[in-house]
Amino acid sequence: MSAYPHMLRPLDLGPVTLRNRVMMGSMHTGLEETGDWARVAEFYRERARGGAGLIVTGGMAPNAEGAVFPGAAGLFTAEDIAHHREVTSAVHAQGGHIAMQILHAGRYAYGRDCVAPSPVKAPIAPFVPVELDEAGIEKQIADIATAAARAREAGYDGVEVMGSEGYLLNQFFAPCTNHRSDRWGGGLENRLRLPVEAIRRVRAAVGADFMVIFRISLIDLVPEGSTWDEVVALARAVEDAGANMFNTGIGWHESRVPTIATSVPRGAFTWLSERLAEAVSLPVIASNRINTPEHAEALLKAGTVAMVSMARPFLADADFVAKASAGRARAIAPCIACNQACLDHIFEGRTASCLVNPRAGHETQLSYSPATQPREIAVAGAGPAGMMAALVAAWRGHRVTLFEAAPHIGGQLNMARVIPGKEEFDGLVAWFAAALADAGVEVQTDCRAEAGALAAFDEVIVATGVRPRDPAIPGQDLAHVVSYAQLLSGAVQIAEGARVAIVGAGGIGFDVAAYLVQGRPSPTEDAALWLREWGVADPSQARGGLAPEGPRPERALREVTLMQRKAERPGRRLGRTTGWIHRAHLRAKEVQMLSGVNYERICPQGIEISLGEERRERRLIPADHVVLCTGQEPERRLAEQLAAADVTAHVIGGADVAAELDARRAIDQGARLAARL
Ligand code: NAP
Ligand code: SF4
């Protein structure tokens, strides 16, 4: 019997019966906008083949004014419908079901013509929206209904109408964005009119035998958001208007509470999905920070929610459901909720992919096809680049030996996994270990590869990583100065209550600061503590789910000063969608952040600094310890030995280019090299 009987049970919704309870939630991937529909179809085909019970597409605009950005995909022409038919046919051929999400962005639309219930600018958008008049409202509803009818024509099994995350329908419903006094605003009955009318008209447009999902915001996490009673009233009205199922949304895009980042506890908000399920008669889908079959099974076994939604986990592994049902859950590549290659790419105007799975979004371009001639391959260094290169080479049929000088595989990932809030990295290292074993890679730890021995292999890959950069600060040899590697590897401990100066405020400087101010287990492992730290309240007691007293972070364990030489704001170069979370966390822990710093000298009392080019305000930052987080240099000694011995080698990861190296780039480079060998 399967370990996941509740997850793998079919769900009869009337219009369709889904083959299991796992939904691949909507994600904007940017693939539709490339115009390469074979690529779009292949992306969804792989996820349907991998067993997703229901797939929901990225949000499709119902009209130009509702498009998230100019030119965002929608179903406007016969040609669009034909393209979408390629996608739906691909999914159906794999026995899957697919619904199209209709997303009207309202005031979040990036354009001067964006529309909203009231002319209130969103804090994250540059434009004041145009207030809709009666005719404008009718047009938006009609366009949403037309989009649903076209989705049916394109072969979709249903639509998901986006009513959460602060988009148009949510904007009409919440008091903070709806200041109208006509029949579309004011009291609850008027504020729910637009979402309810949209569902009623969608149902009329598509007929009875078509799935209509409404994505409802359970907790807005913005001031003057909805109350729980209002959410339930909306849900019941939407039910009466003809929906088949509720998907659930958590927080608006402008919210200052993280909702999907890696530091958010797993299932931090599923209690709200369960509460909605108890208040309505339609099936409810739980969402946000669910990324394992065990978690999905536990939620479904409890019997309140009918389905679970996972979006990014299907980027990390298209075969999530197939592997779980085959008893191979440990082979599922985990989504670590880092956003580095999915959401961050989208905000950089690139297509979405995945740190853990570089094939995501590139299914037609990056293939791990069997090698024509299996060879003996040596990989030196079991960090992210080396592990991925070894894995892909082995998947392709090569015989691979992976050498690691340290006692454990993982390389720099072992630094990340000890940082409070980055516990998901544990699962990533565990997955690599299991996948390498399953693929038959011979892993030799505690074994430094030497040029002489490597010469016997057909191909040599050097992935020896990085070493900390020497900042050459006078006094850095004093006993109280340590490198981030010494600290995070556990070689050096710093007592609680100590004053610590951190030199270098890149990703690792921020991580080290978090490590010093926060103990383990961290709030990421304790949802109640995490909700309190970020000021989240029960929406039945506080409008919008924001605690009136605000965030209540626990006291920092150490007194930390974080410094950089650049004059810009510290943390400005961290991830586009997660940098603000790291900055807010350290601010809450009263970490002092200094920019434009010159490090004059380290002395027994701390570190002497001055500011700016004119070296003004020379002063002492008192510190019991100084931690150097000043970046890395490539570790190329082995590559040089090989070159001297005339052995050709492929150099990847930090050993190749250390500057701004992250796990995403390292894994991508390892996978692409091994796909070519
Ligand atoms: P980094 O991002 O390059 O930062 C190095 C820091 O050291 C900078 O603050 C730099 O700023 C300073 N620095 C460089 N040379 C120096 C010198 N000679 N003397 C004094 N200070 C110097 O490197 P990292 O922090 O080691 O991170 C490595 C990689 O891992 C990065 O690509 C990073 O993005 C990634 N990572 C990301 C995260 C995250 O997003 N949360 C976490 C960990 C790691 P100044 O030159 O202004 O002083
Ligand atoms: Fe998950 Fe990170 Fe991959 Fe995005 S890039 S899908 S967050 S592992």
Side-chain angles (χ1 to χ4, degrees):
M1 151 143 166
S2 159
Y4 314 107
H6 299 85
M7 185 181 95
L8 298 174
R9 205 155 41 117
L11 177 62
D12 182 357
L13 288 173
V16 291
T17 297
L18 304 176
R19 57 185 166 181
N20 59 54
R21 307 294 180 111
V22 182
M23 177 170 113
M24 170 175 149
S26 175
M27 279 176 288
H28 181 63
T29 60
L31 293 177
E32 289 84 354
E33 285 82 12
T34 65
D36 182 348
W37 286 88
R39 184 176 170 190
V40 183
E42 193 54 33
F43 172 77
Y44 286 112
R45 185 197 327 272
E46 284 207 8
R47 272 95 199 143
R49 192 169 56 220
L54 172 65
I55 291 172
V56 181
T57 67
M60 295 294 138
N63 54 28
E65 61 270 32
V68 176
F69 55 90
L75 273 182
F76 305 122
T77 63
E79 203 187 350
D80 290 338
I81 294 174
H83 290 319
H84 281 258
R85 219 172 267 131
E86 282 182 56
V87 173
T88 55
S89 306
V91 170
H92 291 152
Q94 300 298 327
H97 286 100
I98 182 163
M100 187 186 87
Q101 188 188 71
I102 303 173
L103 187 160
H104 190 308
R107 70 179 191 156
Y108 282 162
Y110 189 85
R112 288 187 190 289
D113 299 333
C114 65
V115 297
S118 305
V120 185
K121 191 180 91 63
I124 56 168
F127 306 108
V128 177
V130 176
E131 183 179 61
L132 285 163
D133 59 15
E134 188 76 30
I137 290 175
E138 166 54 30
K139 176 178 184 301
Q140 307 314 311
I141 297 172
D143 289 347
I144 290 170
T146 302
R150 288 182 182 153
R152 182 170 185 145
E153 212 182 320
Y156 285 102
D157 302 293
V159 288
E160 175 176 275
V161 178
M162 183 44 140
S164 65
E165 326 302 292
Y167 290 118
L168 183 79
L169 272 51
N170 211 173
Q171 289 160 25
F172 265 87
F173 186 58
C176 52
T177 38
N178 185 340
H179 299 171
R180 304 176 73 98
S181 53
D182 60 2
R183 69 191 185 106
W184 301 99
L188 173 64
E189 203 183 320
N190 287 349
R191 281 186 284 115
L192 57 72
R193 195 180 308 280
L194 184 114
V196 171
E197 192 57 17
I199 291 298
R200 201 182 61 73
R201 295 272 289 277
V202 163
R203 174 56 73 204
V206 297
D209 57 344
F210 191 72
M211 184 172 39
V212 177
I213 305 168
F214 183 73
R215 186 151 186 208
I216 188 166
S217 179
L218 299 183
I219 181 167
D220 296 333
L221 298 173
V222 291
E224 287 302 295
S226 316
T227 64
W228 184 253
D229 287 348
E230 291 172 345
V231 171
V232 172
L234 172 63
R236 289 187 177 146
V238 164
E239 212 167 55
D240 292 344
N244 297 101
M245 182 154 63
F246 289 106
N247 188 11
T248 50
I250 305 295
W252 289 23
H253 288 311
E254 68 203 57
S255 168
R256 293 294 87 190
V257 178
T259 55
I260 60 167
T262 192
S263 55
V264 177
R266 287 185 182 177
F269 296 97
T270 51
W271 51 285
L272 287 166
S273 303
E274 291 183 314
R275 193 190 284 175
L276 181 72
E278 279 160 5
V280 295
S281 47
L282 289 179
V284 171
I285 306 167
S287 73
N288 284 59
R289 290 291 282 119
I290 304 165
N291 64 350
T292 65
E294 287 72 26
H295 190 182
E297 177 66 15
L299 277 167
L300 292 163
K301 190 176 175 188
T304 45
V305 297
M307 271 192 109
V308 293
S309 169
M310 296 181 230
R312 296 170 298 170
F314 279 94
L315 290 179
D317 200 329
D319 295 323
F320 184 101
V321 176
K323 286 178 180 172
S325 52
R328 296 178 54 234
R330 79 173 200 155
I332 296 172
C335 166
I336 54 171
C338 64
N339 288 355
Q340 278 175 251
C342 51
L343 274 176
D344 284 351
H345 272 200
I346 292 297
F347 279 86
E348 290 158 13
R350 305 162 66 186
T351 55
S353 187
C354 175
L355 174 142
V356 177
N357 173 20
R359 282 195 72 246
H362 301 281
E363 285 77 7
T364 53
Q365 301 154 349
L366 179 58
S367 124
Y368 301 154
S369 51
T372 42
Q373 201 185 355
R375 275 167 291 167
E376 299 285 339
I377 296 184
V379 182
M387 290 191 295
M388 195 65 182
L391 201 49
V392 173
W395 282 339
R396 296 189 55 226
H398 294 301
R399 289 177 296 277
V400 185
T401 309
L402 175 59
F403 299 97
E404 169 56 50
H408 308 287
I409 62 165
Q412 297 280 304
L413 294 180
N414 291 320
M415 306 274 169
R417 67 200 286 202
V418 300
I419 307 300
K422 289 198 163 180
E423 289 79 0
E424 290 285 358
F425 280 81
D426 260 340
L428 181 55
V429 178
W431 173 74
F432 268 118
L436 289 164
D438 291 348
V441 173
E442 186 185 332
V443 181
Q444 297 193 15
T445 49
D446 271 324
C447 181
R448 189 175 292 280
E450 299 295 340
L454 293 178
F457 287 83
D458 299 325
E459 301 278 355
V460 178
I461 299 174
V462 175
T464 42
V466 292
R467 54 192 155 77
R469 179 185 290 136
D470 175 1
I473 301 171
Q476 68 180 25
D477 294 331
L478 288 168
H480 66 312
V481 183
V482 297
S483 75
Y484 72 86
Q486 288 170 300
L487 182 68
L488 299 181
S489 66
V492 170
Q493 265 96 40
I494 294 182
E496 286 188 18
R499 297 163 307 169
V500 187
I502 300 176
V503 176
I508 293 194
F510 266 73
D511 274 0
V512 164
Y515 177 82
L516 290 169
V517 295
Q518 180 75 64
R520 294 270 305 253
S522 79
T524 299
E525 296 168 276
D526 179 345
L529 177 60
W530 184 89
L531 293 170
R532 194 166 67 237
E533 286 231 335
W534 284 94
V536 179
D538 188 327
S540 65
Q541 278 151 33
R543 194 171 265 288
L546 291 183
E549 64 275 23
R552 282 181 293 157
E554 296 207 312
R555 264 175 62 88
L557 293 183
R558 297 171 186 86
E559 206 178 296
V560 172
T561 306
L562 178 61
M563 298 172 287
Q564 68 179 23
R565 297 173 306 175
K566 284 188 280 299
E568 69 191 31
R569 186 169 54 125
R572 198 178 72 80
R573 296 167 199 233
L574 296 175
R576 290 285 285 268
T577 60
T578 51
W580 69 272
I581 302 169
H582 298 295
R583 290 190 294 270
H585 177 231
L586 295 194
R587 269 198 310 272
K589 299 288 186 184
E590 298 183 348
V591 171
Q592 298 299 313
M593 298 189 216
L594 299 176
S595 309
V597 168
N598 309 301
Y599 307 111
E600 300 293 353
R601 72 174 186 120
I602 300 173
C603 56
Q605 297 76 26
I607 177 165
E608 277 181 26
I609 62 159
S610 64
L611 295 180
E613 283 177 18
E614 33 333 322
R615 304 190 101 85
R616 62 181 197 280
E617 297 177 44
R618 187 164 174 147
R619 66 176 190 266
L620 174 77
I621 304 289
D624 306 306
H625 298 272
V626 177
V627 185
L628 303 178
C629 304
T630 51
Q632 291 93 19
E633 303 288 354
E635 174 51 73
R636 285 218 189 96
R637 277 172 293 191
L638 179 62
E640 284 158 10
Q641 282 170 18
L642 287 164
D646 257 348
V647 178
T648 309
H650 309 273
V651 182
I652 59 170
D656 176 26
V657 181
E660 294 178 7
L661 177 77
D662 57 20
R664 184 202 59 78
R665 202 181 88 207
I667 288 174
D668 188 72
Q669 200 183 10
R672 283 174 195 275
L673 168 66
R676 286 198 307 272
L677 293 177

